[in-house]
Amino acid sequence: MQPLLQTTRLAAGYGDFQALFGIDVEVGAGEVVALIGANGAGKSTFLKTIAGLLRPTAGQIQYQGVPMAGMPAAQIVGKGIALVPEGRRLFSSLSVEENLLIGAWSGRPGRWNLDTVLDLFPALRQRRHHAATALSGGQQQMVAIGRALMSNPALLMCDELSLGLAPVIVREIYAALPAIVAGGMSAIIVEQDVRLARQVSSRFYCFQEGRVSLAGASAEVSDAAIAQAYFGVEA
Ligand SMILES: Nc1ncnc2c1ncn2[C@@H]1O[C@H](COP(=O)(O)OP(=O)(O)OP(=O)(O)O)[C@@H](O)[C@H]1O
Ligand SMILES: [Mg+2]
């Protein structure tokens, strides 16, 4: 079966600085794939390149079998790829509801709308008219996820959902993931907590200094192999 997303020898960077070197990643329809790797390994750069926020300098991005590299970010959202960015990036002067509605501008049809997102995260319903920044960190992350869902993506990409959040809140947020992907959506999850990343995914890729150092089935890989791929040293 054709993967939903496939990158081939993908390279990208910032000016003269190359951050990704020949990345081959595949995401199947309905699949949850985890991206792990140390700080600076290139995980966010990879997601930004898929989302069209960075232009690849080499390689291919195939989405639904069609080349997509170089397409403008807005068009990529319209095709069904949504990014929950590192650091959430909510509009601080807007309410929770307004932040969510911004996610719907692409007009893609699907199961996600204001009501279904507020059902998914009931904590947001009673705060829907509050300024987004008046919320706790965990609730702000729910808004960021909800905003991405409002575009009814086929592929949801989440960059470090757990950043700065207490473990109990992280659990609560990840508890929503099965309901999110139940409709057949695919997801790429960047997660620093390797145990958690493996729990929520069927396959993983470990990035190290801009390259894939290890890939495989999340349930089968050994901790020692991960440690080696993560740090490049024997555990
Ligand atoms: N805006 C930028 N300008 C220049 N270099 C950048 C920029 N953003 C990231 N980099 C560099 O690109 C490399 C990859 O960074 P990236 O943010 O993709 O890593 P990451 O795996 O997401 O790390 P983290 O776990 O810290 O979020 C790093 O060397 C980083 O310093
Ligand atoms: Mg990052």
Side-chain angles (χ1 to χ4, degrees), residues 14 17-20 37-46 48 86 159-160 190 192 207:
Y14 306 89
F17 178 78
Q18 189 171 352
L20 299 180
N39 290 332
K43 307 177 300 293
S44 297
T45 303
F46 179 75
K48 285 188 276 184
E86 202 168 16
D159 199 349
E160 301 210 23
V190 170
Q192 289 279 356
F207 281 26

PDB file of all heavy atoms in Angstrom, residues 14 17-20 37-46 48 86 159-160 190 192 207, ligand 1:
ATOM      1  N   TYR A  14      19.127  25.930   7.516  1.00  0.00           N
ATOM      2  CA  TYR A  14      18.896  27.354   7.752  1.00  0.00           C
ATOM      3  C   TYR A  14      20.059  28.112   7.126  1.00  0.00           C
ATOM      4  O   TYR A  14      21.172  28.071   7.649  1.00  0.00           O
ATOM      5  CB  TYR A  14      18.797  27.624   9.250  1.00  0.00           C
ATOM      6  CG  TYR A  14      17.765  26.764   9.945  1.00  0.00           C
ATOM      7  CD1 TYR A  14      18.099  25.508  10.459  1.00  0.00           C
ATOM      8  CD2 TYR A  14      16.446  27.181  10.052  1.00  0.00           C
ATOM      9  CE1 TYR A  14      17.152  24.712  11.088  1.00  0.00           C
ATOM     10  CE2 TYR A  14      15.489  26.396  10.685  1.00  0.00           C
ATOM     11  CZ  TYR A  14      15.855  25.165  11.198  1.00  0.00           C
ATOM     12  OH  TYR A  14      14.904  24.381  11.818  1.00  0.00           O
ATOM     13  N   PHE A  17      23.596  26.632   6.990  1.00  0.00           N
ATOM     14  CA  PHE A  17      23.667  25.534   7.964  1.00  0.00           C
ATOM     15  C   PHE A  17      22.733  24.402   7.557  1.00  0.00           C
ATOM     16  O   PHE A  17      21.522  24.585   7.468  1.00  0.00           O
ATOM     17  CB  PHE A  17      23.297  26.047   9.350  1.00  0.00           C
ATOM     18  CG  PHE A  17      23.304  24.975  10.401  1.00  0.00           C
ATOM     19  CD1 PHE A  17      24.507  24.528  10.943  1.00  0.00           C
ATOM     20  CD2 PHE A  17      22.123  24.389  10.821  1.00  0.00           C
ATOM     21  CE1 PHE A  17      24.517  23.527  11.897  1.00  0.00           C
ATOM     22  CE2 PHE A  17      22.128  23.380  11.779  1.00  0.00           C
ATOM     23  CZ  PHE A  17      23.331  22.951  12.313  1.00  0.00           C
ATOM     24  N   GLN A  18      23.289  23.224   7.301  1.00  0.00           N
ATOM     25  CA  GLN A  18      22.467  22.073   6.949  1.00  0.00           C
ATOM     26  C   GLN A  18      22.078  21.307   8.206  1.00  0.00           C
ATOM     27  O   GLN A  18      22.941  20.932   9.008  1.00  0.00           O
ATOM     28  CB  GLN A  18      23.218  21.150   5.980  1.00  0.00           C
ATOM     29  CG  GLN A  18      22.313  20.057   5.416  1.00  0.00           C
ATOM     30  CD  GLN A  18      22.954  19.253   4.297  1.00  0.00           C
ATOM     31  OE1 GLN A  18      24.032  19.587   3.818  1.00  0.00           O
ATOM     32  NE2 GLN A  18      22.281  18.190   3.887  1.00  0.00           N
ATOM     33  N   ALA A  19      20.773  21.109   8.387  1.00  0.00           N
ATOM     34  CA  ALA A  19      20.276  20.450   9.601  1.00  0.00           C
ATOM     35  C   ALA A  19      19.802  19.029   9.329  1.00  0.00           C
ATOM     36  O   ALA A  19      19.800  18.188  10.225  1.00  0.00           O
ATOM     37  CB  ALA A  19      19.141  21.264  10.218  1.00  0.00           C
ATOM     38  N   LEU A  20      19.348  18.744   8.122  1.00  0.00           N
ATOM     39  CA  LEU A  20      18.874  17.401   7.760  1.00  0.00           C
ATOM     40  C   LEU A  20      19.681  16.881   6.585  1.00  0.00           C
ATOM     41  O   LEU A  20      19.886  17.602   5.599  1.00  0.00           O
ATOM     42  CB  LEU A  20      17.383  17.434   7.369  1.00  0.00           C
ATOM     43  CG  LEU A  20      16.380  17.889   8.426  1.00  0.00           C
ATOM     44  CD1 LEU A  20      14.962  17.856   7.842  1.00  0.00           C
ATOM     45  CD2 LEU A  20      16.456  17.009   9.672  1.00  0.00           C
ATOM     46  N   GLY A  37      14.933  11.628  19.530  1.00  0.00           N
ATOM     47  CA  GLY A  37      16.307  12.064  19.272  1.00  0.00           C
ATOM     48  C   GLY A  37      16.670  13.215  20.186  1.00  0.00           C
ATOM     49  O   GLY A  37      15.802  13.930  20.690  1.00  0.00           O
ATOM     50  N   ALA A  38      17.952  13.402  20.383  1.00  0.00           N
ATOM     51  CA  ALA A  38      18.458  14.396  21.330  1.00  0.00           C
ATOM     52  C   ALA A  38      18.161  15.819  20.851  1.00  0.00           C
ATOM     53  O   ALA A  38      17.747  16.034  19.701  1.00  0.00           O
ATOM     54  CB  ALA A  38      19.963  14.208  21.508  1.00  0.00           C
ATOM     55  N   ASN A  39      18.383  16.782  21.717  1.00  0.00           N
ATOM     56  CA  ASN A  39      18.237  18.199  21.351  1.00  0.00           C
ATOM     57  C   ASN A  39      19.091  18.500  20.134  1.00  0.00           C
ATOM     58  O   ASN A  39      20.252  18.100  20.074  1.00  0.00           O
ATOM     59  CB  ASN A  39      18.699  19.107  22.489  1.00  0.00           C
ATOM     60  CG  ASN A  39      17.760  19.047  23.672  1.00  0.00           C
ATOM     61  OD1 ASN A  39      16.565  18.776  23.512  1.00  0.00           O
ATOM     62  ND2 ASN A  39      18.288  19.268  24.854  1.00  0.00           N
ATOM     63  N   GLY A  40      18.489  19.208  19.168  1.00  0.00           N
ATOM     64  CA  GLY A  40      19.256  19.626  17.998  1.00  0.00           C
ATOM     65  C   GLY A  40      19.411  18.551  16.936  1.00  0.00           C
ATOM     66  O   GLY A  40      20.106  18.759  15.944  1.00  0.00           O
ATOM     67  N   ALA A  41      18.749  17.404  17.107  1.00  0.00           N
ATOM     68  CA  ALA A  41      18.904  16.295  16.152  1.00  0.00           C
ATOM     69  C   ALA A  41      18.234  16.583  14.811  1.00  0.00           C
ATOM     70  O   ALA A  41      18.565  15.951  13.807  1.00  0.00           O
ATOM     71  CB  ALA A  41      18.344  15.008  16.753  1.00  0.00           C
ATOM     72  N   GLY A  42      17.275  17.506  14.807  1.00  0.00           N
ATOM     73  CA  GLY A  42      16.619  17.862  13.547  1.00  0.00           C
ATOM     74  C   GLY A  42      15.142  17.499  13.476  1.00  0.00           C
ATOM     75  O   GLY A  42      14.513  17.614  12.419  1.00  0.00           O
ATOM     76  N   LYS A  43      14.558  17.133  14.608  1.00  0.00           N
ATOM     77  CA  LYS A  43      13.155  16.695  14.615  1.00  0.00           C
ATOM     78  C   LYS A  43      12.222  17.824  14.206  1.00  0.00           C
ATOM     79  O   LYS A  43      11.346  17.658  13.348  1.00  0.00           O
ATOM     80  CB  LYS A  43      12.780  16.159  16.012  1.00  0.00           C
ATOM     81  CG  LYS A  43      13.722  15.081  16.530  1.00  0.00           C
ATOM     82  CD  LYS A  43      13.385  14.623  17.932  1.00  0.00           C
ATOM     83  CE  LYS A  43      13.434  15.686  19.014  1.00  0.00           C
ATOM     84  NZ  LYS A  43      14.806  16.209  19.296  1.00  0.00           N
ATOM     85  N   SER A  44      12.388  18.991  14.840  1.00  0.00           N
ATOM     86  CA  SER A  44      11.516  20.125  14.504  1.00  0.00           C
ATOM     87  C   SER A  44      11.763  20.584  13.070  1.00  0.00           C
ATOM     88  O   SER A  44      10.817  20.961  12.358  1.00  0.00           O
ATOM     89  CB  SER A  44      11.754  21.297  15.455  1.00  0.00           C
ATOM     90  OG  SER A  44      11.414  20.925  16.773  1.00  0.00           O
ATOM     91  N   THR A  45      13.007  20.555  12.666  1.00  0.00           N
ATOM     92  CA  THR A  45      13.335  20.957  11.294  1.00  0.00           C
ATOM     93  C   THR A  45      12.612  20.048  10.295  1.00  0.00           C
ATOM     94  O   THR A  45      12.079  20.523   9.285  1.00  0.00           O
ATOM     95  CB  THR A  45      14.857  20.888  11.073  1.00  0.00           C
ATOM     96  OG1 THR A  45      15.495  21.724  12.041  1.00  0.00           O
ATOM     97  CG2 THR A  45      15.242  21.329   9.667  1.00  0.00           C
ATOM     98  N   PHE A  46      12.575  18.771  10.601  1.00  0.00           N
ATOM     99  CA  PHE A  46      11.874  17.827   9.731  1.00  0.00           C
ATOM    100  C   PHE A  46      10.386  18.192   9.640  1.00  0.00           C
ATOM    101  O   PHE A  46       9.830  18.302   8.545  1.00  0.00           O
ATOM    102  CB  PHE A  46      12.063  16.399  10.262  1.00  0.00           C
ATOM    103  CG  PHE A  46      11.355  15.362   9.445  1.00  0.00           C
ATOM    104  CD1 PHE A  46      11.845  14.964   8.214  1.00  0.00           C
ATOM    105  CD2 PHE A  46      10.179  14.779   9.907  1.00  0.00           C
ATOM    106  CE1 PHE A  46      11.192  14.002   7.443  1.00  0.00           C
ATOM    107  CE2 PHE A  46       9.521  13.821   9.151  1.00  0.00           C
ATOM    108  CZ  PHE A  46      10.019  13.433   7.920  1.00  0.00           C
ATOM    109  N   LYS A  48       8.924  21.037  10.257  1.00  0.00           N
ATOM    110  CA  LYS A  48       8.752  22.341   9.592  1.00  0.00           C
ATOM    111  C   LYS A  48       8.918  22.204   8.084  1.00  0.00           C
ATOM    112  O   LYS A  48       8.254  22.912   7.313  1.00  0.00           O
ATOM    113  CB  LYS A  48       9.769  23.359  10.145  1.00  0.00           C
ATOM    114  CG  LYS A  48       9.410  23.869  11.540  1.00  0.00           C
ATOM    115  CD  LYS A  48      10.320  25.017  11.978  1.00  0.00           C
ATOM    116  CE  LYS A  48      11.604  24.528  12.580  1.00  0.00           C
ATOM    117  NZ  LYS A  48      12.471  25.622  13.093  1.00  0.00           N
ATOM    118  N   GLU A  86       6.189  23.437  18.131  1.00  0.00           N
ATOM    119  CA  GLU A  86       6.924  23.512  19.389  1.00  0.00           C
ATOM    120  C   GLU A  86       6.584  24.860  20.029  1.00  0.00           C
ATOM    121  O   GLU A  86       6.610  25.892  19.375  1.00  0.00           O
ATOM    122  CB  GLU A  86       8.422  23.447  19.051  1.00  0.00           C
ATOM    123  CG  GLU A  86       9.316  22.997  20.143  1.00  0.00           C
ATOM    124  CD  GLU A  86      10.736  22.694  19.615  1.00  0.00           C
ATOM    125  OE1 GLU A  86      11.091  23.102  18.494  1.00  0.00           O
ATOM    126  OE2 GLU A  86      11.481  22.040  20.343  1.00  0.00           O
ATOM    127  N   ASP A 159       4.746  18.549  17.775  1.00  0.00           N
ATOM    128  CA  ASP A 159       6.137  18.777  18.168  1.00  0.00           C
ATOM    129  C   ASP A 159       6.234  19.007  19.673  1.00  0.00           C
ATOM    130  O   ASP A 159       5.877  20.081  20.170  1.00  0.00           O
ATOM    131  CB  ASP A 159       6.710  19.976  17.410  1.00  0.00           C
ATOM    132  CG  ASP A 159       8.238  19.966  17.420  1.00  0.00           C
ATOM    133  OD1 ASP A 159       8.819  19.160  18.169  1.00  0.00           O
ATOM    134  OD2 ASP A 159       8.836  20.765  16.675  1.00  0.00           O
ATOM    135  N   GLU A 160       6.680  17.990  20.389  1.00  0.00           N
ATOM    136  CA  GLU A 160       6.926  18.076  21.825  1.00  0.00           C
ATOM    137  C   GLU A 160       5.743  18.621  22.615  1.00  0.00           C
ATOM    138  O   GLU A 160       5.817  19.667  23.249  1.00  0.00           O
ATOM    139  CB  GLU A 160       8.187  18.897  22.107  1.00  0.00           C
ATOM    140  CG  GLU A 160       9.377  18.261  21.417  1.00  0.00           C
ATOM    141  CD  GLU A 160      10.688  18.475  22.132  1.00  0.00           C
ATOM    142  OE1 GLU A 160      10.677  18.720  23.346  1.00  0.00           O
ATOM    143  OE2 GLU A 160      11.727  18.381  21.471  1.00  0.00           O
ATOM    144  N   VAL A 190       6.583  14.006  17.841  1.00  0.00           N
ATOM    145  CA  VAL A 190       7.936  14.244  18.351  1.00  0.00           C
ATOM    146  C   VAL A 190       7.845  14.280  19.866  1.00  0.00           C
ATOM    147  O   VAL A 190       7.043  15.041  20.418  1.00  0.00           O
ATOM    148  CB  VAL A 190       8.519  15.578  17.827  1.00  0.00           C
ATOM    149  CG1 VAL A 190       9.809  15.926  18.559  1.00  0.00           C
ATOM    150  CG2 VAL A 190       8.760  15.492  16.334  1.00  0.00           C
ATOM    151  N   GLN A 192      10.194  13.789  23.609  1.00  0.00           N
ATOM    152  CA  GLN A 192      11.466  13.576  24.310  1.00  0.00           C
ATOM    153  C   GLN A 192      11.428  12.352  25.219  1.00  0.00           C
ATOM    154  O   GLN A 192      12.456  11.716  25.440  1.00  0.00           O
ATOM    155  CB  GLN A 192      11.809  14.801  25.183  1.00  0.00           C
ATOM    156  CG  GLN A 192      12.220  16.030  24.420  1.00  0.00           C
ATOM    157  CD  GLN A 192      13.677  15.996  23.995  1.00  0.00           C
ATOM    158  OE1 GLN A 192      14.413  15.081  24.329  1.00  0.00           O
ATOM    159  NE2 GLN A 192      14.095  17.002  23.239  1.00  0.00           N
ATOM    160  N   PHE A 207      16.376  10.259  15.350  1.00  0.00           N
ATOM    161  CA  PHE A 207      17.247  11.173  14.616  1.00  0.00           C
ATOM    162  C   PHE A 207      18.502  11.434  15.446  1.00  0.00           C
ATOM    163  O   PHE A 207      18.434  11.571  16.668  1.00  0.00           O
ATOM    164  CB  PHE A 207      16.562  12.532  14.387  1.00  0.00           C
ATOM    165  CG  PHE A 207      15.570  12.555  13.251  1.00  0.00           C
ATOM    166  CD1 PHE A 207      14.913  11.409  12.833  1.00  0.00           C
ATOM    167  CD2 PHE A 207      15.290  13.756  12.596  1.00  0.00           C
ATOM    168  CE1 PHE A 207      13.993  11.451  11.789  1.00  0.00           C
ATOM    169  CE2 PHE A 207      14.371  13.804  11.551  1.00  0.00           C
ATOM    170  CZ  PHE A 207      13.717  12.654  11.146  1.00  0.00           C
TER     171      PHE A 207
HETATM  172  N1  LIG B   1      15.953  29.010  13.143  1.00  0.00           N
HETATM  173  C1  LIG B   1      17.140  28.385  13.129  1.00  0.00           C
HETATM  174  N2  LIG B   1      18.221  28.975  12.602  1.00  0.00           N
HETATM  175  C2  LIG B   1      19.427  28.363  12.565  1.00  0.00           C
HETATM  176  N3  LIG B   1      19.642  27.116  13.027  1.00  0.00           N
HETATM  177  C3  LIG B   1      18.581  26.467  13.570  1.00  0.00           C
HETATM  178  C4  LIG B   1      17.286  27.057  13.649  1.00  0.00           C
HETATM  179  N4  LIG B   1      16.453  26.179  14.230  1.00  0.00           N
HETATM  180  C5  LIG B   1      17.192  25.092  14.500  1.00  0.00           C
HETATM  181  N5  LIG B   1      18.470  25.267  14.104  1.00  0.00           N
HETATM  182  C6  LIG B   1      19.560  24.274  14.216  1.00  0.00           C
HETATM  183  O1  LIG B   1      19.198  23.130  13.441  1.00  0.00           O
HETATM  184  C7  LIG B   1      19.565  21.932  14.112  1.00  0.00           C
HETATM  185  C8  LIG B   1      18.328  21.085  14.287  1.00  0.00           C
HETATM  186  O2  LIG B   1      17.448  21.757  15.170  1.00  0.00           O
HETATM  187  P1  LIG B   1      15.977  21.269  15.488  1.00  0.00           P
HETATM  188  O3  LIG B   1      15.288  22.380  16.163  1.00  0.00           O
HETATM  189  O4  LIG B   1      15.370  20.705  14.272  1.00  0.00           O
HETATM  190  O5  LIG B   1      16.275  20.065  16.511  1.00  0.00           O
HETATM  191  P2  LIG B   1      15.266  19.249  17.419  1.00  0.00           P
HETATM  192  O6  LIG B   1      15.587  17.805  17.182  1.00  0.00           O
HETATM  193  O7  LIG B   1      13.885  19.694  17.207  1.00  0.00           O
HETATM  194  O8  LIG B   1      15.774  19.635  18.871  1.00  0.00           O
HETATM  195  P3  LIG B   1      14.941  19.939  20.241  1.00  0.00           P
HETATM  196  O9  LIG B   1      14.753  18.598  20.883  1.00  0.00           O
HETATM  197  O10 LIG B   1      15.883  20.798  21.017  1.00  0.00           O
HETATM  198  O11 LIG B   1      13.671  20.614  19.899  1.00  0.00           O
HETATM  199  C9  LIG B   1      20.230  22.362  15.421  1.00  0.00           C
HETATM  200  O12 LIG B   1      21.621  22.350  15.228  1.00  0.00           O
HETATM  201  C10 LIG B   1      19.716  23.759  15.631  1.00  0.00           C
HETATM  202  O13 LIG B   1      20.662  24.534  16.346  1.00  0.00           O
END
